[in-house]
Amino acid sequence: MAHKCFISFKKEDMYYKDKLIEKFDKSDVIDKTLDKTINSNDGDYIMSVIRSEYLKDSTVTIFLIGEHSSENEGRDYLGDKNYFIQKELQATLYNGKDNSRSGLIGVVLPNMYEKVYKGNYQCTQCQGNHNYVNINDDTAIREFSRNYYVAPHNGCAWTPDERYAILVKWDDFYNNPEKYIEEAFNKRSDPIANKIRIYNLR
Ligand SMILES: [Zn+2]
């Protein structure tokens, strides 16, 4: 693979993380995970520590979307249950001095297919059919969902050009990871990268 990847996941989804580590060349993936709170009031400092000590020279982050990796689940529990994956995704999108932003892929794990992929609906604006893809605070970390459905947005459905983050089902990703990694990598220099939003840097 041409681009080094970092995997952001909850421990409940370690099985899938390990499958990817097995599949990729060792030099293509960083097998490390944020495991301590960075105590600082300086959001820029926190981001630079995470980038330099964890994400390192990776240019694409693979976010495993499982049953326990949503923004809302994190909030229900003292407000910081998902601190580590939040920070990993923020650092992914953060364009720092010495380390530029990475591409971002959300991989929907099999036990989330039904919750995320809700089928078609007929659009009242264009009369066409769109897929209803349920990516929001109930299913994903905000840094992912808001950069998948980039706002402000005109019209009805989002086109691929209007998204920074890439979304893919586990099976499709596992069969052909290079395709999605390349796509995510290229987004870093795409005009949509200027619309990236990062929430709650502290
Ligand atoms: Zn429409």
Side-chain angles (χ1 to χ4, degrees):
M1 237 177 313
H3 312 299
K4 191 174 269 194
C5 296
F6 177 86
I7 305 174
S8 184
F9 67 99
K10 287 297 292 280
K11 64 179 185 315
E12 291 89 341
D13 301 319
M14 183 117 42
Y15 167 83
Y16 295 98
K17 186 272 290 181
D18 288 340
K19 294 259 289 185
L20 293 181
I21 299 282
E22 249 169 61
K23 187 178 176 83
F24 292 177
D25 287 341
K26 274 220 161 59
S27 59
D28 285 339
V29 64
I30 294 174
D31 189 5
K32 198 170 179 183
T33 188
L34 182 61
D35 50 7
K36 62 175 188 337
T37 306
I38 317 287
N39 287 314
S40 169
N41 288 325
D42 181 350
D44 294 307
Y45 171 76
I46 295 173
M47 292 294 100
S48 72
V49 170
I50 297 173
R51 287 232 55 134
S52 62
E53 292 182 17
Y54 296 89
L55 275 68
K56 294 193 170 152
D57 55 347
S58 64
T59 50
V60 171
T61 293
I62 299 164
F63 168 42
L64 300 183
I65 300 177
E67 288 176 306
H68 302 283
S69 44
S70 75
E71 188 76 26
N72 284 342
E73 172 163 333
R75 299 220 163 161
D76 287 349
Y77 189 85
L78 302 179
D80 60 359
K81 194 180 181 186
N82 281 339
Y83 173 89
F84 294 138
I85 55 175
Q86 273 170 4
K87 291 295 160 205
E88 287 170 348
L89 297 192
Q90 288 169 356
T92 292
L93 299 168
Y94 186 74
N95 221 17
K97 267 202 313 281
D98 305 316
N99 212 330
S100 57
R101 69 171 75 88
S102 293
L104 177 58
I105 305 173
V107 177
V108 181
L109 299 181
N111 55 7
M112 287 292 282
Y113 285 1
E114 275 185 41
K115 197 168 179 188
V116 169
Y117 298 99
K118 297 286 208 183
N120 293 312
Y121 66 96
Q122 202 189 0
C123 178
T124 53
Q125 282 188 55
C126 75
Q127 310 307 323
N129 268 297
H130 303 308
N131 294 316
Y132 176 35
V133 180
N134 187 33
I135 287 291
N136 51 41
D137 287 353
D138 282 333
T139 51
I141 292 297
R142 187 164 297 172
E143 266 63 33
F144 185 85
S145 48
R146 301 288 176 86
N147 292 294
Y148 180 69
Y149 290 120
V150 174
H153 173 74
N154 293 317
C156 44
W158 271 251
T159 65
D161 285 355
E162 294 173 315
R163 307 180 189 282
Y164 183 75
I166 307 286
L167 187 74
V168 57
K169 284 182 179 167
W170 166 262
D171 294 278
D172 296 332
F173 182 70
Y174 193 76
N175 288 333
N176 191 4
E178 287 84 357
K179 172 177 184 254
Y180 301 97
I181 289 167
E182 192 64 32
E183 232 177 278
F185 181 85
N186 290 336
K187 288 279 188 185
R188 301 174 322 139
S189 52
D190 193 274
I192 194 69
N194 299 321
K195 296 192 179 171
I196 285 176
R197 295 222 24 212
I198 302 177
Y199 297 85
N200 307 319
L201 254 195
R202 289 173 197 180

